[in-house]
Amino acid sequence: MKKMFLIFLLTSLSFVSNANDSTKVNITNQAVADADNAGLTLPSGFGALIAADNLGRARHIVATKQGGIYVKLERLVGGKGIVYLTDANKDGKMEIETSFGNYIGTGIAIKDNYLYASSNEDVFRYQLDENGKVTNPNNPQRIVKGLWDKRQHASKSIALDNAGNIYVNIGAPSNSCQEVDRTKGSKGMYPCPILDSAGGIWQFKIDQTDQGYHNGVRYATGLRNVVGLDWNQQQNKLYVTMHGRDMLYTLYPDMFDTTVSAELPSETMYAINKGDDAGWPYVYYDHFQKKKVLSPEYGGDGKKAGGEKAIDPIVAFPAHMAPNALLFYTGNQFPAKYKNGAFVAFHGSWNRSPLPQEGYYVVFIPFENGKPSGQWEVFANGFSGTEMVKNPRDAKHRPCGLTEGPDGSLYISDDVKGTIYRIVYNAK
Amino acid sequence: MKYVYCLSLILVLSSALVSRSATNTVQPAIKASMDRGKIIYLQRCMACHQADGSGVPRLNPPLDGASTVKGNDKLKLVRIIIKGMTDRVEIDGEYYDNNMSANPDLTDTQIADVLNYIRNSWGNKASLVTAVEVKAARTKIK
């Protein structure tokens, strides 16, 4: 009896405290933010809930027009690599409706009535029905095959334009194109032979079977490893986020110390035009000097400029934070400032030891006319579950994928535990 | 050369000592080797395997608690340090995507030192590796 009373007291207390809590969000479609905002810190007026959990290594995600979500897994769960989530009772908590696809991977995207998903060497296309459900889970059309999968930077992120093309990142299986990868004293190869088959974005047709290097177009090059890419509908242009090189100190201890090595080079965002070259491996970007600097493998000393023909980034972030997803926000749920701006999900660094690691959050960059109109700011933080991430292994969650729901909610995936977060806004 | 020989002799002798006195305290010779090994570790290995050997999930394997690191196959360990590692192999139930650097320029003593450091730090405990053993192993590595 005493216990019952206590429970009653506690529930009424929490009810009262919730009612007074201005950050508590309750939007019309009944998706209610979790009491603790799913452990995240957000700008005021925003709330977060866990839409799904324990899915496995959830990489990129994509929402359907009808509000379902497809999740690409990096490791098979029950033999399947794609999970389809739906929310039948519209309470914000999603359930697994089906799983399919016997391959691991990162890339997943929707254009018109097709779902596209990538393994680390192929791209597949599935037909969607009027509910947004895949009709041919066991026999997709393989539209691209045989891309390089050499373990390092093997994930194939994808994006689609409005003219029947798909863009596929092929990451360079290398840090800086040395003869022996990541090895002190090993020279940079010139010209870098990797660029013929990787270190860039390739363009393919959406509807042809088994395309490959022979009929794909190298759309942009000199991009070490792009994991985030999105087609900006306003500009009708491809935008990408690139992971910059590692190990300046380990490879060149006479030139760089551990602090400089932790803070350089920049992680970069580029607006891409056909034929662009971003300069990897010959240069890297330095956001302190605000210029492209010649790589030490190619005669650089940390100061000499290089890459006269290479494009400049439109945003330079601190080093090593690993921008794993890029999303231009087109919804109406969030305040006007967010419209057409970019969200970037940072997986979090490892190449800053012995300094604390950085990243492990989602940032926002306001945009106007396809260009940043202000500084980037941390939008959602707290995924790691610790104040400071000393080692990547300490992080409980790591942001990896982004998608926008039909109601303008922002979804964020985590590839440690497979949590799908939903961010909602309702301050009036 | 004489120096290396002398040092290996000391290491061999001390290893005999360690194996006879099975105590929990770190023996002075192993301690000296580990101290030198730590410096090499911070320069060459820390970026990937992290300062506390915890590694990076799915990218660089942890060295703390790793069965190969604590194991008896010293030839395998010497090969990994000299040649680096780029194969898709399962390590204690997990796969790692990064390439490990090669270190052909480290001397036999330096390799023994860094191995002693990783084999006896972060809760690991394993027998001493000597420069003589590294030298013998190196001749078997193509």
Side-chain angles (χ1 to χ4, degrees), chain A residues 57 74-75 149 151-152 173 180-184 247 249-250 350-351 353-354 357 390-393 415, chain B residues 43 46-48 50-52 54 56 58-60 62 64 86-88 93-94 96-99 101-102:
Chain A
R57 294 176 184 171
E74 202 177 45
R75 202 176 222 197
D149 172 9
R151 216 165 62 110
Q152 188 181 177
V180 187
D181 189 27
R182 296 177 185 267
T183 291
K184 195 174 173 227
M247 299 171 72
Y249 165 72
T250 318
W350 58 271
N351 197 225
S353 191
Q357 303 298 342
K390 269 216 75 110
N391 304 299
R393 192 167 72 181
D415 69 351
Chain B
Q43 290 170 347
M46 176 189 64
C48 295
Q50 305 293 298
D52 62 356
S54 61
V56 180
R58 286 170 278 161
L59 207 59
N60 307 311
D64 62 342
T86 57
D87 335 310
R88 199 187 290 269
E94 189 51 86
Y96 297 90
D97 286 346
N98 208 351
N99 283 339
S101 325

Side-chain angles (χ1 to χ4, degrees), chain A residues 168-202:
Chain A
V168 184
N169 166 64
I170 309 180
S174 169
N175 179 38
S176 193
C177 208
Q178 290 171 284
E179 285 165 357
V180 187
D181 189 27
R182 296 177 185 267
T183 291
K184 195 174 173 227
S186 177
K187 285 205 293 285
M189 293 187 273
Y190 190 85
C192 174
I194 290 172
L195 293 170
D196 296 341
S197 318
I201 308 291
W202 266 253

Side-chain angles (χ1 to χ4, degrees), chain A residues 336-363:
Chain A
K337 148 184 173 183
Y338 293 94
K339 185 98 179 186
N340 299 315
F343 286 101
V344 177
F346 284 98
H347 201 222
S349 73
W350 58 271
N351 197 225
R352 288 173 55 89
S353 191
L355 273 63
Q357 303 298 342
E358 263 298 326
Y360 303 86
Y361 43 60
V362 175
V363 311

Side-chain angles (χ1 to χ4, degrees), chain A residues 359-375:
Chain A
Y360 303 86
Y361 43 60
V362 175
V363 311
F364 176 74
I365 309 110
F367 265 67
E368 244 166 59
N369 303 321
K371 294 204 176 70
S373 56
Q375 292 297 311

